[in-house]
Amino acid sequence: MGLTAGIVGLPNVGKSTLFNAITKANAFAANFPFATIEPNVGIVEVKDERLNKIVEIIKPRSIVPTSFSFTDIAGLVKGASKGEGLGNQFLSHIRDVDAICEVVRCFDDPNIVHVEGKIDPLSDIAVINLELILADLEVVEKRLPKIEKKALLKVDSESVFEYQILKKLQDAFLKELPARMVNLTLEEKQYIKNYQFLTMKPILYVANVAEEDIASGNKYVDLVKEYAQKEGSKIVVISAKIEEELSMLDEDDRQIFLEDLGLKESGIDVLVREAYSLLGLCTFFTAGEKECRAWTFKKGMLAPQCAGIIHSDFEKGFIKAETYSYDDLIAFGTPLKVKEAGKVRLEGKDYEVKDGDIMLFRFNV
């Protein structure tokens, strides 16, 4: 699918440490601002227990999980929208991602400097969100004078429509509200898609805590949770340092470490799952003796489009999709028994693929 989430935050909040843990890519991390300049891109497996269960039944020669892309973007500072720090680079890199994972410092550590001189997660969030809003406001205020006359004179309906949307957004930005919180119709959202407004991107807040707070949270986490709830966003609590240590262990040792911490799963697994969900992503499977594979698709996609994810020829020559559900495979035990129970369907071009579908595409090119 080529979708990616950008990891953003003020300098020294743990972005690059988190990125290292996610991708095991060893992105350069240091205790000073702008240690990350060029965005590092890493691919991480999406852990899905369903694929493991399918593999147990099918026993294929090859297993391919689906993956998700994270981009580590340079730390932002106050004034970025005006070019402060690495502002212009930061903003251009963030325009290229589909969702934002905003890392917020929720730990005290006198050995790690804070760019603003104090630990205040809500202030950190406000700095970043305001810079993104100001960058979007600049885009709107550059465009409005170019269409204002045509719109007010009603020269054409398109200018009127665009002007009304941009004025609505301008009013919100001046009140320091992000575009994602503006009440826009689907048609309006589609119309302004090419603007790539930064504050239209879905956001996930990542509260980075110390090891001792990973299970219980702390006062900083409570503040971020309350803020995210008001905005209709989600929050994931992680300890980037712990996650980096976990990433260096094998699976058995990881489980022992997690149990010692009182955790069922790592924060990274939760983060990947939430980022995946944030973008409306789902998974379908292909399953045969040669290979069992998980494929990422966007909710609402039709069978031919999903076939095209595997190969463009599959979409061009799509005929039917032999389909059954993961739940039916588990219930009946084997693909043959699923078929004997009449649970295998032949779906056509109008079929909307469901999360957990196991599919075999029939095509002719």
Side-chain angles (χ1 to χ4, degrees):
M1 289 294 293
L3 296 173
T4 182
I7 301 175
V8 306
L10 294 178
N12 299 338
V13 297
K15 291 185 302 84
S16 294
T17 303
L18 174 61
F19 180 80
N20 290 345
I22 288 173
T23 63
K24 301 180 187 177
N26 297 316
F28 179 52
N31 183 23
F32 55 87
F34 314 127
T36 306
I37 298 176
E38 290 301 317
N40 299 295
V41 179
I43 308 297
V44 61
E45 273 184 21
V46 178
K47 290 192 177 178
D48 194 326
E49 188 57 32
R50 295 174 300 179
L51 181 61
N52 297 336
K53 295 288 187 185
I54 292 169
V55 167
E56 284 176 20
I57 293 169
I58 304 292
K59 296 180 172 55
R61 291 193 293 275
S62 172
I63 307 160
V64 185
T66 190
S67 60
F68 191 78
S69 173
F70 281 93
T71 302
D72 179 26
I73 299 171
L76 178 147
V77 294
K78 194 178 289 183
S81 59
K82 302 299 180 189
E84 291 295 323
L86 294 166
N88 293 331
Q89 278 180 276
F90 174 95
L91 296 170
S92 67
H93 291 150
I94 203 172
R95 286 194 197 282
D96 294 333
V97 302
D98 302 285
I100 298 169
C101 293
E102 186 172 324
V103 182
V104 185
R105 180 170 170 172
C106 292
F107 64 90
D108 293 302
D109 187 337
N111 297 315
I112 300 177
V113 296
H114 189 289
V115 73
E116 293 291 323
K118 65 184 187 304
I119 309 302
D120 185 346
L122 294 189
S123 174
D124 293 357
I125 290 171
V127 167
I128 289 181
N129 290 359
L130 182 58
E131 292 304 324
L132 300 182
I133 286 168
L134 290 173
D136 283 350
L137 178 62
E138 186 179 358
V139 171
V140 168
E141 293 189 336
K142 277 183 180 177
R143 178 61 179 163
L144 277 174
K146 295 176 182 177
I147 60 169
E148 187 171 34
K149 192 172 182 181
K150 283 170 72 176
L152 295 177
L153 293 174
K154 297 183 179 177
V155 172
D156 61 75
S157 58
E158 191 172 330
S159 296
V160 174
F161 186 57
E162 183 181 2
Y163 183 78
Q164 288 172 343
I165 302 170
L166 295 184
K167 283 297 287 182
K168 199 186 291 188
L169 288 171
Q170 183 187 41
D171 290 344
F173 296 154
L174 290 171
K175 293 173 186 171
E176 298 186 8
L177 289 173
R180 63 182 169 273
M181 291 184 70
V182 179
N183 188 20
L184 298 175
T185 66
L186 284 175
E187 187 184 3
E188 288 172 329
K189 287 178 183 177
Q190 194 62 36
Y191 190 87
I192 59 169
K193 207 170 182 180
N194 289 340
Y195 279 100
Q196 288 187 294
F197 285 120
L198 303 176
T199 62
M200 186 62 84
K201 297 178 189 293
I203 193 164
L204 177 67
Y205 293 102
V206 183
N208 186 15
V209 300
E211 180 177 341
E212 60 268 21
D213 295 325
I214 189 63
S216 59
N218 58 32
K219 62 183 180 180
Y220 300 133
V221 172
D222 292 340
L223 290 171
V224 179
K225 279 182 179 175
E226 187 180 344
Y227 181 92
Q229 194 171 21
K230 286 178 183 175
E231 194 185 74
S233 299
K234 287 190 175 182
I235 172 177
V236 172
V237 180
I238 61 125
S239 170
K241 197 66 186 167
I242 287 176
E243 297 300 333
E244 190 171 37
E245 290 173 21
L246 280 168
S247 71
M248 298 174 189
L249 303 176
D250 62 32
E251 191 57 35
D252 290 341
D253 288 340
R254 282 178 86 252
Q255 288 307 315
I256 293 168
F257 193 180
L258 285 170
E259 285 171 18
D260 288 345
L261 292 168
L263 302 174
K264 290 181 179 178
E265 59 183 336
S266 76
I268 294 297
D269 291 342
V270 178
L271 175 60
V272 172
R273 190 169 63 243
E274 290 293 351
Y276 200 74
S277 171
L278 192 65
L279 287 168
L281 301 179
C282 300
T283 305
F284 74 86
F285 303 94
T286 50
E289 289 181 5
K290 184 179 177 183
E291 178 187 86
C292 282
R293 183 165 183 162
W295 302 86
T296 298
F297 71 100
K298 197 128 188 176
K299 189 176 180 182
M301 287 179 73
L302 302 179
Q305 295 173 297
C306 285
I309 292 170
I310 299 175
H311 197 289
S312 57
D313 284 349
F314 285 25
E315 183 172 6
K316 287 175 191 171
F318 179 88
I319 301 171
K320 292 283 182 183
E322 193 174 294
T323 307
Y324 58 97
S325 74
Y326 166 80
D327 289 339
D328 284 338
L329 177 63
I330 298 304
F332 292 98
T334 68
L336 180 60
K337 287 180 180 177
V338 173
K339 196 166 193 173
E340 288 172 348
K343 296 293 185 179
V344 176
R345 314 178 307 272
L346 280 180
E347 301 289 3
K349 293 182 178 180
D350 296 329
Y351 175 67
E352 188 175 304
V353 177
K354 306 292 187 299
D355 185 50
D357 276 349
I358 301 172
M359 312 186 81
L360 173 66
F361 297 103
R362 297 181 182 178
F363 70 103
N364 182 26
V365 177

PDB file of all heavy atoms in Angstrom, residues 58 321-325 327-346 358 360 362:
ATOM      1  N   ILE A  58      -2.076 -24.649   7.221  1.00  0.00           N
ATOM      2  CA  ILE A  58      -1.674 -24.846   5.819  1.00  0.00           C
ATOM      3  C   ILE A  58      -0.285 -25.473   5.706  1.00  0.00           C
ATOM      4  O   ILE A  58      -0.004 -26.231   4.780  1.00  0.00           O
ATOM      5  CB  ILE A  58      -1.707 -23.496   5.054  1.00  0.00           C
ATOM      6  CG1 ILE A  58      -3.087 -22.835   5.161  1.00  0.00           C
ATOM      7  CG2 ILE A  58      -1.304 -23.679   3.581  1.00  0.00           C
ATOM      8  CD1 ILE A  58      -4.193 -23.553   4.451  1.00  0.00           C
ATOM      9  N   ALA A 321     -13.067 -13.834  -7.236  1.00  0.00           N
ATOM     10  CA  ALA A 321     -12.201 -14.088  -6.083  1.00  0.00           C
ATOM     11  C   ALA A 321     -12.813 -15.203  -5.249  1.00  0.00           C
ATOM     12  O   ALA A 321     -13.929 -15.061  -4.739  1.00  0.00           O
ATOM     13  CB  ALA A 321     -12.043 -12.826  -5.242  1.00  0.00           C
ATOM     14  N   GLU A 322     -12.113 -16.322  -5.182  1.00  0.00           N
ATOM     15  CA  GLU A 322     -12.555 -17.422  -4.335  1.00  0.00           C
ATOM     16  C   GLU A 322     -12.235 -17.020  -2.889  1.00  0.00           C
ATOM     17  O   GLU A 322     -11.057 -16.828  -2.545  1.00  0.00           O
ATOM     18  CB  GLU A 322     -11.801 -18.693  -4.722  1.00  0.00           C
ATOM     19  CG  GLU A 322     -12.374 -19.960  -4.139  1.00  0.00           C
ATOM     20  CD  GLU A 322     -11.656 -21.187  -4.677  1.00  0.00           C
ATOM     21  OE1 GLU A 322     -11.767 -21.471  -5.898  1.00  0.00           O
ATOM     22  OE2 GLU A 322     -10.980 -21.848  -3.869  1.00  0.00           O
ATOM     23  N   THR A 323     -13.269 -16.883  -2.085  1.00  0.00           N
ATOM     24  CA  THR A 323     -13.113 -16.234  -0.775  1.00  0.00           C
ATOM     25  C   THR A 323     -13.753 -17.024   0.361  1.00  0.00           C
ATOM     26  O   THR A 323     -14.859 -17.540   0.221  1.00  0.00           O
ATOM     27  CB  THR A 323     -13.769 -14.822  -0.817  1.00  0.00           C
ATOM     28  OG1 THR A 323     -13.247 -14.094  -1.923  1.00  0.00           O
ATOM     29  CG2 THR A 323     -13.511 -14.056   0.472  1.00  0.00           C
ATOM     30  N   TYR A 324     -13.046 -17.100   1.469  1.00  0.00           N
ATOM     31  CA  TYR A 324     -13.646 -17.596   2.711  1.00  0.00           C
ATOM     32  C   TYR A 324     -13.028 -16.814   3.866  1.00  0.00           C
ATOM     33  O   TYR A 324     -11.999 -16.141   3.703  1.00  0.00           O
ATOM     34  CB  TYR A 324     -13.474 -19.105   2.880  1.00  0.00           C
ATOM     35  CG  TYR A 324     -12.055 -19.629   2.884  1.00  0.00           C
ATOM     36  CD1 TYR A 324     -11.394 -19.882   4.088  1.00  0.00           C
ATOM     37  CD2 TYR A 324     -11.376 -19.915   1.697  1.00  0.00           C
ATOM     38  CE1 TYR A 324     -10.100 -20.391   4.109  1.00  0.00           C
ATOM     39  CE2 TYR A 324     -10.091 -20.420   1.703  1.00  0.00           C
ATOM     40  CZ  TYR A 324      -9.455 -20.649   2.916  1.00  0.00           C
ATOM     41  OH  TYR A 324      -8.173 -21.150   2.916  1.00  0.00           O
ATOM     42  N   SER A 325     -13.636 -16.887   5.033  1.00  0.00           N
ATOM     43  CA  SER A 325     -13.162 -16.066   6.144  1.00  0.00           C
ATOM     44  C   SER A 325     -12.197 -16.827   7.043  1.00  0.00           C
ATOM     45  O   SER A 325     -12.246 -18.067   7.133  1.00  0.00           O
ATOM     46  CB  SER A 325     -14.348 -15.581   6.983  1.00  0.00           C
ATOM     47  OG  SER A 325     -14.875 -16.640   7.758  1.00  0.00           O
ATOM     48  N   ASP A 327     -12.295 -16.796  10.222  1.00  0.00           N
ATOM     49  CA  ASP A 327     -13.101 -17.414  11.287  1.00  0.00           C
ATOM     50  C   ASP A 327     -13.624 -18.792  10.872  1.00  0.00           C
ATOM     51  O   ASP A 327     -13.660 -19.731  11.673  1.00  0.00           O
ATOM     52  CB  ASP A 327     -14.276 -16.501  11.675  1.00  0.00           C
ATOM     53  CG  ASP A 327     -13.812 -15.259  12.424  1.00  0.00           C
ATOM     54  OD1 ASP A 327     -12.699 -15.283  12.976  1.00  0.00           O
ATOM     55  OD2 ASP A 327     -14.563 -14.264  12.451  1.00  0.00           O
ATOM     56  N   ASP A 328     -14.032 -18.919   9.588  1.00  0.00           N
ATOM     57  CA  ASP A 328     -14.522 -20.212   9.103  1.00  0.00           C
ATOM     58  C   ASP A 328     -13.392 -21.237   9.030  1.00  0.00           C
ATOM     59  O   ASP A 328     -13.597 -22.425   9.308  1.00  0.00           O
ATOM     60  CB  ASP A 328     -15.185 -20.057   7.732  1.00  0.00           C
ATOM     61  CG  ASP A 328     -16.581 -19.446   7.830  1.00  0.00           C
ATOM     62  OD1 ASP A 328     -17.179 -19.529   8.916  1.00  0.00           O
ATOM     63  OD2 ASP A 328     -17.055 -18.868   6.831  1.00  0.00           O
ATOM     64  N   LEU A 329     -12.184 -20.778   8.657  1.00  0.00           N
ATOM     65  CA  LEU A 329     -11.045 -21.697   8.612  1.00  0.00           C
ATOM     66  C   LEU A 329     -10.766 -22.262  10.005  1.00  0.00           C
ATOM     67  O   LEU A 329     -10.539 -23.465  10.161  1.00  0.00           O
ATOM     68  CB  LEU A 329      -9.799 -20.979   8.081  1.00  0.00           C
ATOM     69  CG  LEU A 329      -8.511 -21.816   8.049  1.00  0.00           C
ATOM     70  CD1 LEU A 329      -8.661 -23.012   7.099  1.00  0.00           C
ATOM     71  CD2 LEU A 329      -7.314 -20.972   7.658  1.00  0.00           C
ATOM     72  N   ILE A 330     -10.806 -21.402  11.007  1.00  0.00           N
ATOM     73  CA  ILE A 330     -10.561 -21.846  12.387  1.00  0.00           C
ATOM     74  C   ILE A 330     -11.690 -22.776  12.856  1.00  0.00           C
ATOM     75  O   ILE A 330     -11.452 -23.800  13.509  1.00  0.00           O
ATOM     76  CB  ILE A 330     -10.429 -20.630  13.336  1.00  0.00           C
ATOM     77  CG1 ILE A 330      -9.228 -19.763  12.933  1.00  0.00           C
ATOM     78  CG2 ILE A 330     -10.306 -21.084  14.785  1.00  0.00           C
ATOM     79  CD1 ILE A 330      -7.898 -20.491  12.867  1.00  0.00           C
ATOM     80  N   ALA A 331     -12.925 -22.430  12.488  1.00  0.00           N
ATOM     81  CA  ALA A 331     -14.080 -23.219  12.932  1.00  0.00           C
ATOM     82  C   ALA A 331     -14.090 -24.622  12.316  1.00  0.00           C
ATOM     83  O   ALA A 331     -14.406 -25.613  13.002  1.00  0.00           O
ATOM     84  CB  ALA A 331     -15.375 -22.480  12.581  1.00  0.00           C
ATOM     85  N   PHE A 332     -13.718 -24.724  11.028  1.00  0.00           N
ATOM     86  CA  PHE A 332     -13.822 -26.017  10.335  1.00  0.00           C
ATOM     87  C   PHE A 332     -12.489 -26.767  10.252  1.00  0.00           C
ATOM     88  O   PHE A 332     -12.473 -27.961   9.958  1.00  0.00           O
ATOM     89  CB  PHE A 332     -14.418 -25.814   8.939  1.00  0.00           C
ATOM     90  CG  PHE A 332     -15.856 -25.378   8.972  1.00  0.00           C
ATOM     91  CD1 PHE A 332     -16.198 -24.036   8.842  1.00  0.00           C
ATOM     92  CD2 PHE A 332     -16.883 -26.296   9.164  1.00  0.00           C
ATOM     93  CE1 PHE A 332     -17.533 -23.625   8.896  1.00  0.00           C
ATOM     94  CE2 PHE A 332     -18.205 -25.900   9.222  1.00  0.00           C
ATOM     95  CZ  PHE A 332     -18.541 -24.560   9.091  1.00  0.00           C
ATOM     96  N   GLY A 333     -11.389 -26.066  10.453  1.00  0.00           N
ATOM     97  CA  GLY A 333     -10.106 -26.755  10.592  1.00  0.00           C
ATOM     98  C   GLY A 333      -9.207 -26.823   9.381  1.00  0.00           C
ATOM     99  O   GLY A 333      -7.991 -26.782   9.516  1.00  0.00           O
ATOM    100  N   THR A 334      -9.779 -26.958   8.163  1.00  0.00           N
ATOM    101  CA  THR A 334      -8.970 -26.993   6.935  1.00  0.00           C
ATOM    102  C   THR A 334      -9.734 -26.297   5.811  1.00  0.00           C
ATOM    103  O   THR A 334     -10.969 -26.232   5.852  1.00  0.00           O
ATOM    104  CB  THR A 334      -8.670 -28.431   6.476  1.00  0.00           C
ATOM    105  OG1 THR A 334      -9.905 -29.044   6.042  1.00  0.00           O
ATOM    106  CG2 THR A 334      -8.036 -29.259   7.597  1.00  0.00           C
ATOM    107  N   PRO A 335      -9.023 -25.821   4.772  1.00  0.00           N
ATOM    108  CA  PRO A 335      -9.714 -25.216   3.627  1.00  0.00           C
ATOM    109  C   PRO A 335     -10.703 -26.167   2.974  1.00  0.00           C
ATOM    110  O   PRO A 335     -11.774 -25.759   2.525  1.00  0.00           O
ATOM    111  CB  PRO A 335      -8.568 -24.854   2.671  1.00  0.00           C
ATOM    112  CG  PRO A 335      -7.376 -24.673   3.552  1.00  0.00           C
ATOM    113  CD  PRO A 335      -7.552 -25.689   4.657  1.00  0.00           C
ATOM    114  N   LEU A 336     -10.346 -27.472   2.921  1.00  0.00           N
ATOM    115  CA  LEU A 336     -11.233 -28.474   2.304  1.00  0.00           C
ATOM    116  C   LEU A 336     -12.550 -28.567   3.077  1.00  0.00           C
ATOM    117  O   LEU A 336     -13.639 -28.593   2.482  1.00  0.00           O
ATOM    118  CB  LEU A 336     -10.537 -29.838   2.254  1.00  0.00           C
ATOM    119  CG  LEU A 336     -11.361 -30.981   1.634  1.00  0.00           C
ATOM    120  CD1 LEU A 336     -11.727 -30.648   0.182  1.00  0.00           C
ATOM    121  CD2 LEU A 336     -10.590 -32.302   1.713  1.00  0.00           C
ATOM    122  N   LYS A 337     -12.462 -28.601   4.398  1.00  0.00           N
ATOM    123  CA  LYS A 337     -13.675 -28.699   5.216  1.00  0.00           C
ATOM    124  C   LYS A 337     -14.518 -27.428   5.130  1.00  0.00           C
ATOM    125  O   LYS A 337     -15.744 -27.483   5.214  1.00  0.00           O
ATOM    126  CB  LYS A 337     -13.298 -29.009   6.665  1.00  0.00           C
ATOM    127  CG  LYS A 337     -12.816 -30.448   6.859  1.00  0.00           C
ATOM    128  CD  LYS A 337     -12.440 -30.722   8.309  1.00  0.00           C
ATOM    129  CE  LYS A 337     -11.967 -32.159   8.476  1.00  0.00           C
ATOM    130  NZ  LYS A 337     -11.526 -32.436   9.861  1.00  0.00           N
ATOM    131  N   VAL A 338     -13.842 -26.290   4.957  1.00  0.00           N
ATOM    132  CA  VAL A 338     -14.576 -25.022   4.753  1.00  0.00           C
ATOM    133  C   VAL A 338     -15.384 -25.114   3.464  1.00  0.00           C
ATOM    134  O   VAL A 338     -16.555 -24.721   3.412  1.00  0.00           O
ATOM    135  CB  VAL A 338     -13.599 -23.819   4.694  1.00  0.00           C
ATOM    136  CG1 VAL A 338     -14.347 -22.536   4.304  1.00  0.00           C
ATOM    137  CG2 VAL A 338     -12.892 -23.610   6.026  1.00  0.00           C
ATOM    138  N   LYS A 339     -14.744 -25.661   2.439  1.00  0.00           N
ATOM    139  CA  LYS A 339     -15.405 -25.807   1.138  1.00  0.00           C
ATOM    140  C   LYS A 339     -16.573 -26.785   1.235  1.00  0.00           C
ATOM    141  O   LYS A 339     -17.666 -26.531   0.712  1.00  0.00           O
ATOM    142  CB  LYS A 339     -14.386 -26.288   0.099  1.00  0.00           C
ATOM    143  CG  LYS A 339     -14.821 -26.115  -1.333  1.00  0.00           C
ATOM    144  CD  LYS A 339     -13.632 -26.288  -2.287  1.00  0.00           C
ATOM    145  CE  LYS A 339     -14.000 -25.799  -3.673  1.00  0.00           C
ATOM    146  NZ  LYS A 339     -12.819 -25.795  -4.576  1.00  0.00           N
ATOM    147  N   GLU A 340     -16.352 -27.902   1.917  1.00  0.00           N
ATOM    148  CA  GLU A 340     -17.404 -28.917   2.069  1.00  0.00           C
ATOM    149  C   GLU A 340     -18.602 -28.374   2.844  1.00  0.00           C
ATOM    150  O   GLU A 340     -19.741 -28.795   2.636  1.00  0.00           O
ATOM    151  CB  GLU A 340     -16.836 -30.144   2.786  1.00  0.00           C
ATOM    152  CG  GLU A 340     -15.889 -30.963   1.913  1.00  0.00           C
ATOM    153  CD  GLU A 340     -15.177 -32.061   2.690  1.00  0.00           C
ATOM    154  OE1 GLU A 340     -15.246 -32.051   3.951  1.00  0.00           O
ATOM    155  OE2 GLU A 340     -14.533 -32.923   2.053  1.00  0.00           O
ATOM    156  N   ALA A 341     -18.334 -27.398   3.729  1.00  0.00           N
ATOM    157  CA  ALA A 341     -19.419 -26.789   4.519  1.00  0.00           C
ATOM    158  C   ALA A 341     -20.147 -25.697   3.740  1.00  0.00           C
ATOM    159  O   ALA A 341     -21.091 -25.082   4.249  1.00  0.00           O
ATOM    160  CB  ALA A 341     -18.856 -26.214   5.814  1.00  0.00           C
ATOM    161  N   GLY A 342     -19.715 -25.464   2.491  1.00  0.00           N
ATOM    162  CA  GLY A 342     -20.368 -24.460   1.647  1.00  0.00           C
ATOM    163  C   GLY A 342     -20.044 -23.027   2.040  1.00  0.00           C
ATOM    164  O   GLY A 342     -20.809 -22.104   1.739  1.00  0.00           O
ATOM    165  N   LYS A 343     -18.889 -22.847   2.685  1.00  0.00           N
ATOM    166  CA  LYS A 343     -18.523 -21.509   3.160  1.00  0.00           C
ATOM    167  C   LYS A 343     -17.571 -20.767   2.216  1.00  0.00           C
ATOM    168  O   LYS A 343     -17.211 -19.622   2.474  1.00  0.00           O
ATOM    169  CB  LYS A 343     -17.869 -21.615   4.548  1.00  0.00           C
ATOM    170  CG  LYS A 343     -18.804 -22.144   5.637  1.00  0.00           C
ATOM    171  CD  LYS A 343     -19.913 -21.152   5.929  1.00  0.00           C
ATOM    172  CE  LYS A 343     -20.787 -21.608   7.093  1.00  0.00           C
ATOM    173  NZ  LYS A 343     -21.848 -20.630   7.401  1.00  0.00           N
ATOM    174  N   VAL A 344     -17.176 -21.419   1.131  1.00  0.00           N
ATOM    175  CA  VAL A 344     -16.319 -20.740   0.146  1.00  0.00           C
ATOM    176  C   VAL A 344     -17.207 -20.051  -0.875  1.00  0.00           C
ATOM    177  O   VAL A 344     -18.123 -20.660  -1.433  1.00  0.00           O
ATOM    178  CB  VAL A 344     -15.371 -21.737  -0.557  1.00  0.00           C
ATOM    179  CG1 VAL A 344     -14.559 -21.025  -1.636  1.00  0.00           C
ATOM    180  CG2 VAL A 344     -14.440 -22.393   0.456  1.00  0.00           C
ATOM    181  N   ARG A 345     -16.944 -18.753  -1.109  1.00  0.00           N
ATOM    182  CA  ARG A 345     -17.795 -17.961  -2.001  1.00  0.00           C
ATOM    183  C   ARG A 345     -16.996 -17.507  -3.222  1.00  0.00           C
ATOM    184  O   ARG A 345     -15.790 -17.284  -3.117  1.00  0.00           O
ATOM    185  CB  ARG A 345     -18.307 -16.708  -1.262  1.00  0.00           C
ATOM    186  CG  ARG A 345     -18.819 -17.012   0.142  1.00  0.00           C
ATOM    187  CD  ARG A 345     -19.267 -15.747   0.859  1.00  0.00           C
ATOM    188  NE  ARG A 345     -18.274 -14.680   0.880  1.00  0.00           N
ATOM    189  CZ  ARG A 345     -17.336 -14.548   1.810  1.00  0.00           C
ATOM    190  NH1 ARG A 345     -17.198 -15.443   2.779  1.00  0.00           N
ATOM    191  NH2 ARG A 345     -16.507 -13.530   1.770  1.00  0.00           N
ATOM    192  N   LEU A 346     -17.680 -17.352  -4.338  1.00  0.00           N
ATOM    193  CA  LEU A 346     -17.062 -16.720  -5.509  1.00  0.00           C
ATOM    194  C   LEU A 346     -17.557 -15.280  -5.562  1.00  0.00           C
ATOM    195  O   LEU A 346     -18.735 -15.024  -5.810  1.00  0.00           O
ATOM    196  CB  LEU A 346     -17.451 -17.465  -6.790  1.00  0.00           C
ATOM    197  CG  LEU A 346     -16.679 -18.746  -7.091  1.00  0.00           C
ATOM    198  CD1 LEU A 346     -17.196 -19.361  -8.388  1.00  0.00           C
ATOM    199  CD2 LEU A 346     -15.179 -18.470  -7.211  1.00  0.00           C
ATOM    200  N   ILE A 358      -9.684 -14.680   3.340  1.00  0.00           N
ATOM    201  CA  ILE A 358      -8.629 -15.484   2.709  1.00  0.00           C
ATOM    202  C   ILE A 358      -9.051 -15.664   1.260  1.00  0.00           C
ATOM    203  O   ILE A 358     -10.142 -16.156   0.974  1.00  0.00           O
ATOM    204  CB  ILE A 358      -8.464 -16.848   3.415  1.00  0.00           C
ATOM    205  CG1 ILE A 358      -8.121 -16.620   4.907  1.00  0.00           C
ATOM    206  CG2 ILE A 358      -7.382 -17.683   2.732  1.00  0.00           C
ATOM    207  CD1 ILE A 358      -8.118 -17.880   5.743  1.00  0.00           C
ATOM    208  N   LEU A 360      -8.329 -16.277  -3.116  1.00  0.00           N
ATOM    209  CA  LEU A 360      -7.600 -16.787  -4.284  1.00  0.00           C
ATOM    210  C   LEU A 360      -8.210 -16.096  -5.503  1.00  0.00           C
ATOM    211  O   LEU A 360      -9.401 -16.263  -5.775  1.00  0.00           O
ATOM    212  CB  LEU A 360      -7.742 -18.310  -4.404  1.00  0.00           C
ATOM    213  CG  LEU A 360      -7.155 -18.941  -5.682  1.00  0.00           C
ATOM    214  CD1 LEU A 360      -5.651 -18.792  -5.693  1.00  0.00           C
ATOM    215  CD2 LEU A 360      -7.528 -20.412  -5.784  1.00  0.00           C
ATOM    216  N   ARG A 362      -8.939 -15.267  -9.360  1.00  0.00           N
ATOM    217  CA  ARG A 362      -8.964 -15.832 -10.708  1.00  0.00           C
ATOM    218  C   ARG A 362      -8.915 -14.674 -11.696  1.00  0.00           C
ATOM    219  O   ARG A 362      -9.686 -13.727 -11.597  1.00  0.00           O
ATOM    220  CB  ARG A 362     -10.233 -16.638 -10.932  1.00  0.00           C
ATOM    221  CG  ARG A 362     -10.347 -17.852  -9.994  1.00  0.00           C
ATOM    222  CD  ARG A 362     -11.618 -18.626 -10.265  1.00  0.00           C
ATOM    223  NE  ARG A 362     -11.785 -19.764  -9.362  1.00  0.00           N
ATOM    224  CZ  ARG A 362     -12.827 -20.578  -9.371  1.00  0.00           C
ATOM    225  NH1 ARG A 362     -13.818 -20.355 -10.220  1.00  0.00           N
ATOM    226  NH2 ARG A 362     -12.910 -21.586  -8.521  1.00  0.00           N
TER     227      ARG A 362
END
